[in-house]
Amino acid sequence: MSEQELNSYRFTSQHEPTDEMLAQIMKEVTRDARLRSEEATSVYFSNMRKEALAVKARWADRINKAING
């Protein structure tokens, strides 16, 4: 099946997708979901690391103030 055929297909109650179309649609959906999940996970942990560094710096500052007055 060509990409153009797949892109032009619309789900309707009168026209069921072929098994090939459905398999291709599900394959693309799965790939997109996996990529979005990987990107979201990467952003989440990147933000987590930044926040951990900020908290660590605040605590280091507090400790230094307590030691040095």
Side-chain angles (χ1 to χ4, degrees), residues 23-36:
Q24 184 65 30
I25 291 167
M26 295 306 293
K27 185 177 179 181
E28 289 185 19
V29 167
T30 301
R31 182 183 51 83
D32 289 347
R34 186 174 56 258
L35 290 174
R36 287 182 184 193

Side-chain angles (χ1 to χ4, degrees), residues 1-58:
M1 162 187 329
S2 73
E3 187 174 337
Q4 184 180 10
E5 286 176 308
L6 186 61
N7 289 340
S8 66
Y9 177 77
R10 298 293 177 255
F11 284 106
T12 65
S13 59
Q14 298 150 346
H15 186 326
E16 293 286 325
T18 64
D19 288 343
E20 182 185 4
M21 285 176 148
L22 194 54
Q24 184 65 30
I25 291 167
M26 295 306 293
K27 185 177 179 181
E28 289 185 19
V29 167
T30 301
R31 182 183 51 83
D32 289 347
R34 186 174 56 258
L35 290 174
R36 287 182 184 193
S37 175
E38 289 171 359
E39 182 180 336
T41 299
S42 177
V43 168
Y44 174 79
F45 282 106
S46 176
N47 289 339
M48 195 83 121
R49 283 188 288 277
K50 287 177 188 174
E51 183 61 27
L53 289 173
V55 169
K56 187 176 178 180
R58 284 195 305 266

